[in-house]
Amino acid sequence: MSVVPMKLVTIAGPLGEFDSVVYSCIINQQFHPEPTTKIMKNVKFLYPFDQQNPFVDMLRQAESLADRLGIKLDYRPFESQNDTPDKVLTYLRQVGDRFDALARESEEIKQRIDENERILTHLRHILEVNVPLEEFFNVSYIKFRFGRMPRETYNNFIGHLNERFDLFFFPTSIERDWVWGMYMVPRSDKEKVDALFASLHFERIRISERVHGTREQAIHEIQENSEKAAARLSDVEAELVDLLMRERDNFLRHYSYIRFMNDSFDIRRYAAHTRESFYLLGWVPEPDFEAFTDLLGHQPNLSVVVLSDEPEAVSAYTPPILLKNPRIFRAFEPFIAMYGLPSYHEADPTPMMCITFTLLFGLMFGDAGQGALLMVIGFLLWKCKGMWLGRAVCYMGASAVVFGLFVYGSVFGFEPAGLVGLNFRILASGDNTALGLRLAVYMGVGLLAFSMLANLLNGIRQKNYGKLLFGPSGLAGLILYLSVICATLPILGFADQILPSGLLLAFAALPFALVFLREPLSHLITHRRARKPGSMADFILENLFELIEVLLSYITNTISFLRVGAYAISHASMMSVVFMLAGGHDSPNIAVVAVGNLIVMGIEGLLVGIQVLRLEFYEIFSRFYEGDGKPYHPIIIDYSSRNSQ
């Protein structure tokens, strides 16, 4: 059984020792807490802890400061007895203030350097005269304007500007796209002339008040200012780096303390207390129970009570699910989590899915060369990127290699005659194609029958005898399914006559009646009162329509496995097209074959993976698996994650 057994325990002790028990025995241990008041709701004078977590704001500040410092969150050892919230807050404030001051100064210096560059750009385009520049813009009767206009506009209108007597425009620099220059105008005409130049897309540039003296003097002064600013910026950035290097470990130590205290305080929402004692209830995996009780044994004032060795006997709680599979099957556990974890007394389908998924993928994508390449890609995704899907892709690729070598005799689309195995060419003839489709349907019959057997096992484990005996996927349903399939396959052309019609009707009659009456029969054997139908006619119609739906699902679920043969045909057809474009199998264009293989791998591999997953979830799992379990979550602190969103 790959679902780990659980024990439901209650921990009780003096109220004053609650925090120390949480620190030493609950946090980072194999303990999945549950709300205590839910099961002890009838206990008098038992109250929930209602204090507000004082560490939430501190944790938010620490994470914000980590972002500003560029520090990746991680764990560092700390000694909680030497730290207090006040000390940590003081530390965070000091480091934050120092960093903010340096960052602010750095930003101001960068802005000053950028401003200096803009001023220098302007100054280099001003006419070089041995006159202080501020005198140009402070004369009494004339206004000077400095700026630039598009080169095309200048070329088109310079003649017009030269003909006017109320302005004088002289260019100072002519570039490919822009013409820099100054114009002067009597003060009485400035509005009219300014409007004219605005219509010519003249961009007026105001010289900074920091500019003094002649152009050369101003350039020298601004350059000198930039050099000093750059030197100070280098010092500030060095101080920032030094601050980061000096405080990284110390900051992470304080952060780890805050995170530990925050998550420890959160345990209060599961606990309850009286005036003198606290109570904490949760699940412990059976293999870890002895080590857990030994840990609690170091707290002499505690008592530990196992509420029940049968967790389902405690109706207020559903045991959490912890899967324990051999390493070879674990690659497919995330797929099971997508569908839903098994309930406590439900068989874990991970091993079955691992086997059937890889088998079906290989049948639909049988090429040894492409399979080997898939294995390499999956291995790199797994080892280099840490992707769990990479391990599953390795399995899919290995299955494709096996079927490519021993069934289809295909390596990157090449089909050498001497290759080991069956060398089954599904496109070699119409008979081969029909046989491939037939075998796909037969495989579907076998997998669905096996999934119904798994449902029988679940019925035994769950002591659900109605599900075991009378359900559509129970014992009666299995017999009815096989009878329906034996009658249907010859009609659909997938088999010759299997059994005489009369014999099939005899086999199907009793299972048909049992599935039809499954609800009252289930209540009868469990001694529970059945719900009263509106009328006998309502009961018959409701169950008849449900049974028709069941019979149709038997057929459609089985026919769905045609896609196994269809995708095997599709894969072979796509590779045939590749070799047709490459000039044939005898002397193909290797570049075309290589590109074609990559395209087929990308398209066909993705489609086959999706279709196999669909067969697993909709055809196979629907016959035996409910997947309504809740995951096992002990309070294990992940210091690299964020907690204060």
Side-chain angles (χ1 to χ4, degrees), residues 313-501:
V314 184
S315 59
Y317 292 112
T318 301
I321 302 303
L322 175 63
L323 300 180
K324 185 179 181 181
N325 284 298
R327 184 180 296 273
I328 192 172
F329 298 134
R330 292 177 193 167
F332 285 82
E333 285 184 356
F335 286 117
I336 302 301
M338 288 181 193
Y339 190 92
L341 293 173
S343 57
Y344 192 69
H345 281 299
E346 189 174 23
D348 176 17
T350 304
M352 178 181 177
M353 184 178 186
C354 178
I355 295 170
T356 57
F357 195 105
T358 53
L359 174 68
L360 291 170
F361 188 92
L363 279 169
M364 298 164 74
F365 192 86
D367 187 288
Q370 294 178 9
L373 191 54
L374 274 182
M375 289 180 66
V376 172
I377 293 172
F379 183 81
L380 293 176
L381 291 175
W382 174 29
K383 291 297 184 181
C384 299
K385 296 294 185 180
M387 296 175 61
W388 63 266
L389 186 60
R391 293 182 62 189
V393 172
C394 287
Y395 285 50
M396 300 175 206
S399 179
V401 169
V402 171
F403 280 94
L405 288 176
F406 298 102
V407 177
Y408 300 113
S410 176
V411 182
F412 288 119
F414 293 96
E415 298 176 343
L419 198 65
V420 296
L422 299 176
N423 291 343
F424 178 69
R425 312 285 189 248
I426 198 167
L427 294 180
S429 66
D431 291 339
N432 280 6
T433 303
L435 178 60
L437 295 175
R438 279 193 174 196
L439 291 175
V441 173
Y442 299 159
M443 173 175 286
V445 173
L447 288 175
L448 291 180
F450 185 79
S451 66
M452 291 184 182
L453 292 175
N455 185 66
L456 299 183
L457 177 62
N458 281 336
I460 295 172
R461 286 180 170 178
Q462 297 166 354
K463 299 179 182 178
N464 187 340
Y465 300 110
K467 174 182 179 178
L468 171 66
L469 299 174
F470 312 122
S473 297
L475 183 59
L478 176 59
I479 299 173
L480 181 60
Y481 168 69
L482 295 176
S483 302
V484 170
I485 290 302
C486 288
T488 306
L489 289 185
I491 297 174
L492 297 176
F494 291 109
D496 299 325
Q497 186 68 30
I498 300 174
L499 292 173
S501 301

Side-chain angles (χ1 to χ4, degrees), residues 140-274:
S140 301
Y141 302 105
I142 297 176
K143 273 293 185 182
F144 282 89
R145 301 285 193 251
F146 170 68
R148 66 179 184 175
M149 69 171 62
R151 174 74 178 270
E152 183 179 359
T153 303
Y154 172 79
N155 292 337
N156 292 333
F157 292 95
I158 185 59
H160 173 70
L161 295 176
N162 289 336
E163 292 175 357
R164 295 180 64 104
F165 297 102
D166 56 346
L167 64 87
F168 178 66
F169 178 81
F170 48 95
T172 59
S173 176
I174 299 178
E175 299 175 346
R176 186 172 65 89
D177 296 322
W178 297 96
V179 173
W180 298 73
M182 298 178 66
Y183 68 85
M184 57 182 180
V185 58
R187 283 183 175 272
S188 59
D189 297 329
K190 66 176 182 178
E191 288 82 3
K192 179 177 61 175
V193 174
D194 286 346
L196 170 64
F197 273 88
S199 69
L200 298 178
H201 307 292
F202 182 83
E203 296 180 10
R204 182 181 172 187
I205 297 173
R206 289 176 170 81
I207 302 299
S208 172
E209 295 179 354
R210 295 171 52 206
V211 173
H212 303 288
T214 65
R215 189 188 78 156
E216 293 304 321
Q217 290 172 341
I219 289 176
H220 177 73
E221 181 182 349
I222 297 299
Q223 286 178 336
E224 203 173 59
N225 184 276
S226 291
E227 291 172 0
K228 292 179 180 179
R232 178 54 187 161
L233 179 62
S234 178
D235 292 340
V236 171
E237 290 182 343
E239 288 186 54
L240 283 170
V241 172
D242 180 66
L243 176 67
L244 176 61
M245 299 300 294
R246 186 176 67 250
E247 297 296 336
R248 179 188 297 274
D249 287 340
N250 202 23
F251 170 80
L252 289 174
R253 182 177 68 80
H254 284 84
Y255 158 74
S256 298
Y257 165 78
I258 299 170
R259 183 64 188 271
F260 180 86
M261 298 300 291
N262 177 79
D263 289 14
S264 299
F265 197 94
D266 269 349
I267 298 295
R268 281 170 163 76
R269 60 193 175 99
Y270 298 103
H273 69 95
T274 62

Side-chain angles (χ1 to χ4, degrees), residues 1-41:
M1 182 177 180
S2 54
V3 175
V4 177
M6 294 283 170
K7 287 184 177 292
L8 183 61
V9 301
T10 296
I11 304 170
L15 185 58
E17 297 182 13
F18 176 77
D19 287 331
S20 64
V21 171
V22 169
Y23 299 159
S24 59
C25 304
I26 304 301
I27 292 291
N28 296 327
Q29 304 300 328
Q30 296 303 313
F31 183 81
H32 175 108
E34 295 278 10
T36 303
T37 53
K38 187 175 179 181
I39 197 171
M40 301 177 68
K41 56 186 175 182

